[in-house]
Amino acid sequence: MATTSHNTPAPSDPAPGVRSVTSGDDAPTGIAAGARRVRVHHLQQAKERGEKITMLTAYDAATAAIMDAAGIDTLLVGDSIGNTMLGHATTLPVTLDDMVRAGRAVASVTQHAFVVVDLPFGTYEAGPEQALASAVRIMKETGASAVKLEGGRRSAAQIQAITSAGIPVVGHLGYTPQSENALGGPRVQGRGDDAAEELSQDALAVQEAGAVAVVLEMVPVEVAARITEFLAIPTIGIGAGPDVDGQVLVWTDMAGMTDWSPRFARRYAELGRVLGQAVTDFAAEVRTGAFPAPEHAFQQ
Ligand code: KIV
């Protein structure tokens, strides 16, 4: 059952039980250095100044708090939660309830980053009215700053309806996972002159509909660079090369949580291995009686 907006904690209120990792006096870094919170105009200014925008996915309060304190500019509560956290094979089964719960968890601990929540498959395709209702629910119940949806010209009316209601929209073009069945799986999009032209038309449509930024996923470097050059709004690439206005990665790929990562992702840690070792050590110490030690116990 949905909670109403008056139950939603303000984004700056720390959620109970979540340990803050903010180190006190550290001023936020990145595209909105000096500002308390990254706002929509900071994204635009970053593009104009040639400063790269950083984005990671986040799905829960514990990891979002760490990423926010580490100075990430934007957090995407992606529907990739379906594959990464909920055990689905694709993003298609993800529901609006799933996104609201995750969005609220992320926004509730985020003090600096711009939080974007995905509209999942089946919650906007029917038309502008459905899209607006879904976006309004996300905004009322999560404390996020924007929504994201997939598609170019086919989603322009939806983007326009949502932005007309005062809700910032991030577009998503190239490989769009919600259409993976139609696209034949994760494949580079926009290869060849005709496909590149189609993608460019979609990018223009997203901008004209009022989007504040657009994600370009699995797009050839040259095509992403050209779109980035002619668009006034920032492009955020994932598998789109270096000549875009920002980069996004799925955090579990970036942190090496699983054995496999896509070719376009760099593994900045091997967290899966670290966590696995911690679990092995814990289990071993429980079995030998080494844990808990006297300092972990309460005396009468
Ligand atoms: O859901 C998601 O994680 C995304 C990124 C791949 C951009 O949309």
Side-chain angles (χ1 to χ4, degrees), residues 11-241:
S12 54
D13 292 340
V18 173
R19 193 164 26 163
S20 169
V21 292
T22 309
S23 51
D25 296 336
D26 286 355
T29 55
I31 61 167
R36 199 183 141 267
R37 179 169 280 282
V38 180
R39 300 273 188 187
V40 70
H41 59 273
H42 294 120
L43 304 178
Q44 190 58 43
Q45 285 167 1
K47 176 168 182 124
E48 287 158 15
R49 293 184 192 140
E51 293 168 8
K52 296 286 188 186
I53 299 165
T54 60
M55 176 185 270
L56 283 172
T57 63
Y59 315 107
D60 63 77
T63 45
I66 292 169
M67 293 170 191
D68 188 53
I72 198 79
D73 297 317
T74 58
L75 287 173
L76 170 64
V77 186
D79 62 352
S80 52
I81 190 172
N83 326 51
T84 57
M85 298 290 149
L86 300 181
H88 301 310
T90 71
T91 62
L92 300 189
V94 175
T95 65
L96 202 53
D97 283 347
D98 292 332
M99 298 312 299
V100 165
R101 202 167 290 119
R104 189 186 301 133
V106 169
S108 69
V109 293
T110 302
Q111 299 185 16
H112 183 64
F114 185 83
V115 177
V116 182
V117 177
D118 258 341
L119 294 188
F121 178 64
T123 67
Y124 62 95
E125 296 87 341
E129 244 177 73
Q130 186 202 26
L132 180 57
S134 301
V136 165
R137 185 170 168 218
I138 293 279
M139 299 306 283
K140 273 189 179 295
E141 297 183 29
T142 67
S145 299
V147 298
K148 178 169 85 55
L149 55 82
E150 297 182 2
R153 285 162 287 181
R154 71 177 167 92
S155 299
Q158 282 89 329
I159 295 172
Q160 195 159 21
I162 299 169
T163 56
S164 298
I167 301 170
V169 176
V170 176
H172 186 156
L173 297 172
Y175 176 62
T176 45
Q178 292 174 14
S179 304
E180 71 152 73
N181 293 302
L183 297 175
R187 298 158 64 129
V188 174
Q189 302 293 310
R191 264 202 181 125
D193 289 349
D194 290 350
E197 180 54 29
E198 291 293 318
L199 196 57
S200 300
Q201 292 301 326
D202 280 332
L204 270 179
V206 164
Q207 173 172 283
E208 279 164 17
V212 297
V214 60
V215 168
L216 298 177
E217 180 165 355
M218 294 183 75
V219 171
V221 175
E222 304 79 4
V223 179
R226 193 159 73 83
I227 291 173
T228 300
E229 200 171 310
F230 72 68
L231 282 192
I233 59 173
T235 57
I236 301 177
I238 174 164

Side-chain angles (χ1 to χ4, degrees), residues 55-57 67 249-257 261-262 265-271:
M55 176 185 270
L56 283 172
T57 63
M67 293 170 191
L249 285 177
V250 169
W251 88 258
T252 47
D253 295 336
M254 182 277 307
M257 279 289 280
S261 307
R266 178 171 290 162
R267 297 167 75 92
Y268 285 86
E270 292 298 333
L271 270 201

